[in-house]
């Protein structure tokens, strides 16, 4: 069946695997996507949503690079919201509620329409290695499939163990078996592994809920979309979510099951996600709180299944049911299935280079939850980067690595490789020191030209970016050179209880005021006519407004990023002997030898490396 050798084999068809396979195939590599169940491609194992705080920026970046997650999210969305609009633009984060079934269907269809991509359904149990270089994989039937590179994106399936109260059984997620054999194969090749935990809430019958007792959460009045491409359109109609709350009575029922909880009786000893705790963890850690929010999220357009966000649990099913019945609006609830926790193997990401290739086996790449991350978006980001780099490895080209000042994806991978993680890693805006530069609105400007050079983003994408940039630059110049109408401006300032002005000034000065936004000045004659005559899009106008309003912050971050680049340009020779530097601390030598940073900037970001260690390295590098 596999007479010819592949360029890239991708193991696992979750969010990481799908993006990896699409990227490698679209760049021209002959690619095989192997998964245990082709009916569950890009399955939304947990909540039916994409994006959110920092995660929305990641989806925009994947889209700007030519990935599929943004397009699929738009095509399967049932609601769109831009979060954090009350804050500055660095915090704005797009999020969609998704139709779970449609999401999988759209991904499967896009992959099947991708040239150079083959599919095969079976479990991979072993890797084929010759002279510390990957040469292929072995299936559970004993088939050997050969390739130049392999990308492992196994999600929660490696020795997966599902817990519901005192019951536990093997599984990668509900209704699917665990992947056995691959962990041991990698351990035999010298890798280190660990265990992590995640969980999911019950799914319930929406017909049994009383939504009149809950607070409705509609989508945006004028919804946007994720993808920068013209292949998708904003939603014309949307489905609402709802909010309700737990209570002291709910908490008391949940506590009554703690003695049978795998989290508290020792059955689960691995680390769960800090920022997405289970309901029992929340009431245990925050015992002073009398209630917690529950988000009631529909699973699609044409289903009554509902996701109970905020009620993730591994408590016994009878406790789950009794407690949830006491939540307002859930008095008559019917379960589709209970919540559960799942433990799985991961491999500490300090065993990787920044291109996601493993240090001990050449041409082998890891992406997604195998690296200790949590979330569809983080997985998809690693997937597209692994797919790109596997293709580059096949064509003997230099690795593609994004800097921390270039993308949230760069922050994510840099954190994983240099700091590692002992708990499921989740992206936040606070992790990015250059978040004013890394906004969701400018991901195309930052990344599409780079992706076009790589051969992933097509010519149409590049033309769209160039047109938008041209509009923005010209509009900023117009706003800086054109004066506003004094009478109309003073009327506007009075309506906002602001001090009026005695003489006219440039539009840019007016727009720089915190209380004034582009919609306030949109209809002033000179500006309105310019926008019409030049067909300026609202996206370009928004970017021009941000550039003017936050010019000082943007300039400061650019200067800081330039300083970082100076250290990035100072390379550490491959195989450099850190032990020969007597002035380095023992901890610094140990960390540097383990992680093997390639630049001084990377070395400076390793936990345990202090400024004096960097000074020693500067001298050693001849600086």
């Amino acid at each position: 069946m596999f007479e010819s050798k592949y360029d890239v084999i991708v193991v696992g068809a979750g969010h990481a695997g799908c993006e990896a396979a699409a990227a490698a195939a679209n760049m021209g590599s002959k690619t095989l996507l192997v998964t245990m169940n082709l009916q569950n491609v890009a399955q939304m194992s947990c909540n039916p949503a994409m994006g959110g705080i920092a995660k929305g920026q990641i989806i925009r970046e994947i889209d700007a690079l030519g990935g599929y997650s943004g397009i699929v999210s738009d095509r399967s969305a049932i609601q769109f919201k831009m979060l954090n609009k009350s804050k500055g633009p660095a915090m704005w984060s797009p999020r969609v509620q998704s139709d779970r079934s449609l999401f999988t269907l759209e991904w499967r269809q896009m992959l099947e329409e991708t040239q150079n991509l083959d599919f095969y359904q079976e479990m991979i149990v072993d890797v084929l290695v010759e002279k510390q270089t990957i040469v292929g994989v072995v299936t559970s039937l004993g088939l050997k499939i050969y390739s130049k590179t392999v990308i492992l994106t196994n999600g929660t399936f490696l020795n997966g163990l599902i817990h519901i109260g005192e019951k536990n059984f093997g599984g990668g997620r509900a209704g699917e078996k665990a992947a056995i054999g691959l962990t041991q194969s990698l351990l035999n090749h010298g890798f280190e592994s660990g265990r992590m935990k995640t969980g999911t809430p019950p799914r319930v019958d929406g017909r049994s809920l009383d939504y009149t007792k809950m607070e409705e959460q509609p989508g945006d009045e004028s919804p946007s979309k994720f993808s920068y491409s013209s292949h998708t359109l904003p939603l014309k109609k949307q489905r609402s979510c709802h909010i309700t709350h737990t209570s002291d009575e709910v908490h008391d029922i949940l506590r009554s099951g703690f003695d049978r909880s795998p989290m508290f009786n020792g059955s689960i000893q691995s680390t769960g996600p800090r920022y997405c705790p289970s309901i029992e963890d929340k009431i245990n850690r925050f015992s002073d709180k009398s209630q917690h929010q529950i988000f009631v999220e529909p699973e699609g357009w044409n289903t009554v299944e509902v996701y109970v966000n905020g009620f993730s649990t591994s408590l016994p099913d009878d406790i789950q049911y009794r407690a949830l019945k006491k939540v307002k609006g859930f008095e008559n609830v019917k379960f589709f299935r209970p919540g559960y926790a799942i433990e799985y193997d991961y491999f500490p990401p300090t065993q990787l280079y920044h291109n996601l290739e493993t240090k001990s086996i050449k041409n082998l790449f890891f992406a997604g939850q195998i690296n200790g991350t949590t979330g569809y978006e983080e997985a998809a980001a690693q997937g597209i980067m692994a797919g790109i780099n596997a293709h580059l490895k096949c064509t003997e080209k230099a690795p593609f690595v994004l800097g921390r000042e270039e993308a949230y994806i760069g922050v994510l991978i840099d954190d994983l490789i240099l700091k590692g993680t002992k708990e499921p890693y989740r992206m936040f805006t606070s992790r990015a020191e250059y978040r004013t530069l890394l906004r969701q609105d400018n991901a195309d400007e930052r990344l599409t030209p780079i992706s076009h050079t790589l051969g992933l983003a097509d010519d149409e994408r590049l033309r769209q970016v160039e047109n938008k940039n041209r509009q923005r630059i010209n509009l900023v110049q117009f706003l800086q050179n054109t004066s506003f109408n004094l009478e109309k401006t003073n009327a506007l300032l009075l309506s906002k209880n602001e001090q009026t002005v005695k003489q006219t000034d440039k539009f840019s000065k007016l727009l720089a005021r915190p209380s004034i936004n582009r919609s306030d000045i949109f209809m002033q004659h000179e500006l309105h006519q310019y926008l019409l005559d030049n067909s300026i899009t609202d996206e370009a106008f928004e970017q021009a407004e941000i550039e003017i309003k936050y010019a000082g912050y943007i300039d400061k971050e650019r200067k800081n990023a330039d300083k970082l680049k100076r250290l990035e340009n100072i390379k550490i020779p491959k195989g450099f002997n850190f032990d020969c530097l007597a002035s380095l601390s023992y901890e610094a030598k140990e960390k540097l030898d383990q992680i093997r940073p390639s630049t001084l900037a990377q070395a400076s970001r390793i936990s345990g490396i202090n400024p004096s260690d960097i000074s020693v390295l500067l001298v050693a590098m001849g600086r």
Side-chain angles (χ1 to χ4, degrees), residues 158-441:
L158 293 177
N159 292 327
L161 184 65
I162 291 174
H163 296 267
I164 302 176
E166 295 171 299
K167 307 161 191 171
N168 60 68
F169 48 91
R173 57 181 165 229
E176 296 181 65
K177 63 183 179 180
I180 309 298
L182 193 53
T183 293
Q184 189 58 51
S185 171
L186 294 172
L187 292 176
N188 292 341
H189 286 288
F191 286 95
E192 294 178 14
S193 72
R195 294 284 276 177
M196 280 189 178
K197 174 195 87 76
T198 189
T200 191
R203 269 55 160 198
V204 304
D205 189 334
R207 296 170 300 182
S208 66
L209 306 183
D210 185 352
Y211 292 103
T212 64
K213 296 181 178 180
M214 307 178 198
E215 177 189 343
E216 186 178 5
Q217 294 285 298
D220 289 349
E221 285 187 21
S222 301
S224 184
K225 62 191 187 83
F226 265 123
S227 181
Y228 293 101
S229 75
S230 56
H231 299 301
T232 64
L233 295 170
L235 287 167
K236 291 284 194 290
K237 62 175 182 175
Q238 302 185 69
R239 283 199 68 177
S240 289
C241 298
H242 290 79
I243 289 180
T244 185
H245 296 84
T246 60
S247 64
D248 284 330
E249 185 179 16
V250 174
H251 298 175
D252 288 340
I253 295 172
L254 292 169
R255 287 190 189 97
S256 73
F258 277 11
D259 61 326
R260 293 189 286 151
S261 165
M263 276 191 58
F264 300 118
N265 66 16
S267 298
I268 293 177
Q269 296 183 344
S270 50
T271 308
R274 179 189 299 266
Y275 303 104
C276 189
S278 64
I279 187 66
E280 56 263 41
D281 196 20
K282 281 190 276 193
I283 64 173
N284 186 52
R285 285 165 53 191
F286 308 111
S287 56
D288 58 314
K289 292 189 178 293
S290 61
Q291 64 176 31
H292 293 284
Q293 280 189 328
I294 301 293
F295 295 90
V296 183
E297 303 179 347
E299 295 258 357
W301 289 114
N302 302 308
T303 180
V304 297
E305 188 172 356
V306 167
Y307 179 87
V308 191
N309 195 342
F311 207 86
S312 174
T313 181
S314 58
L315 283 165
D317 49 297
D318 61 310
I319 297 293
Q320 295 184 34
Y321 179 64
R322 282 173 48 211
L324 204 51
K325 279 179 72 71
K326 297 299 181 181
V327 173
K328 193 177 290 186
F330 281 74
E331 293 83 358
N332 299 306
V333 67
K334 294 180 180 178
F335 272 38
F336 273 19
R337 64 174 168 86
Y340 63 86
I342 181 167
E343 289 185 287
Y344 56 93
D345 293 336
Y346 85 104
F347 289 79
T350 50
Q351 299 172 97
L352 307 176
Y353 294 114
H354 274 73
N355 66 342
L356 298 180
E357 183 183 11
T358 66
K359 293 174 180 176
S360 56
I361 298 179
K362 293 179 182 177
N363 299 353
L364 174 62
F365 297 79
F366 290 174
Q369 283 179 280
I370 192 173
N371 290 335
T373 59
T374 181
Y376 310 142
E377 302 82 2
E378 290 89 344
Q382 294 170 72
I384 192 170
M385 295 300 287
I388 290 170
N389 278 301
H391 168 80
L392 293 174
K393 200 73 192 255
C394 292
T395 53
E396 299 182 352
K397 292 179 180 175
F400 173 53
V401 175
L402 288 168
R404 298 180 71 90
E405 79 288 355
E406 292 179 294
Y408 271 91
I409 296 174
V411 175
L412 165 68
I413 294 174
D414 191 65
D415 278 355
L416 291 173
I417 277 44
L418 297 182
K419 298 176 181 176
T421 185
K422 293 184 178 179
E423 62 184 50
Y425 179 102
R426 179 179 178 179
M427 178 53 70
F428 289 101
T429 48
S430 58
R431 295 191 190 273
E433 56 270 57
Y434 306 114
R435 53 188 171 274
T436 307
L437 301 180
L438 309 182
R439 306 184 309 273
Q440 53 82 31
D441 62 276

Side-chain angles (χ1 to χ4, degrees), residues 383-538:
I384 192 170
M385 295 300 287
I388 290 170
N389 278 301
H391 168 80
L392 293 174
K393 200 73 192 255
C394 292
T395 53
E396 299 182 352
K397 292 179 180 175
F400 173 53
V401 175
L402 288 168
R404 298 180 71 90
E405 79 288 355
E406 292 179 294
Y408 271 91
I409 296 174
V411 175
L412 165 68
I413 294 174
D414 191 65
D415 278 355
L416 291 173
I417 277 44
L418 297 182
K419 298 176 181 176
T421 185
K422 293 184 178 179
E423 62 184 50
Y425 179 102
R426 179 179 178 179
M427 178 53 70
F428 289 101
T429 48
S430 58
R431 295 191 190 273
E433 56 270 57
Y434 306 114
R435 53 188 171 274
T436 307
L437 301 180
L438 309 182
R439 306 184 309 273
Q440 53 82 31
D441 62 276
N442 69 356
D444 56 343
E445 179 185 334
R446 290 184 277 119
L447 300 178
T448 298
I450 302 172
S451 182
H452 183 265
T453 302
L454 288 169
L456 188 54
D458 59 25
D459 292 342
E460 181 192 351
R461 282 293 189 98
L462 185 63
R463 280 195 297 271
Q464 287 176 340
V465 173
E466 289 173 342
N467 183 51
K468 180 178 156 187
N469 285 347
R470 191 162 46 248
Q471 287 190 12
R472 173 184 55 80
I473 292 167
N474 291 341
L475 179 55
V476 168
Q477 290 177 346
F478 175 85
L479 293 168
Q480 290 172 338
N481 297 328
T482 308
S483 300
F484 55 71
N485 179 285
L486 185 61
E487 185 179 344
K488 288 184 178 179
T489 297
N490 277 332
L492 170 64
L493 294 173
L494 284 171
S495 72
K496 292 181 177 286
N497 296 317
E498 289 232 355
Q499 184 69 41
T500 57
V501 292
K502 294 182 179 179
Q503 61 185 35
T504 190
D505 206 336
K506 307 303 180 190
F507 273 111
S508 57
K509 291 284 185 67
L510 180 60
L511 195 54
R513 292 187 175 216
S515 63
I516 305 298
N517 57 53
R518 66 186 186 280
S519 62
D520 294 323
I521 62 174
F522 176 73
M523 289 306 295
Q524 286 212 25
H525 177 72
E526 295 88 344
L527 175 57
H528 188 62
Q529 196 60 49
Y530 178 87
L531 297 173
L532 289 175
D533 291 345
N534 294 277
S535 302
I536 304 295
T537 64
D538 188 60

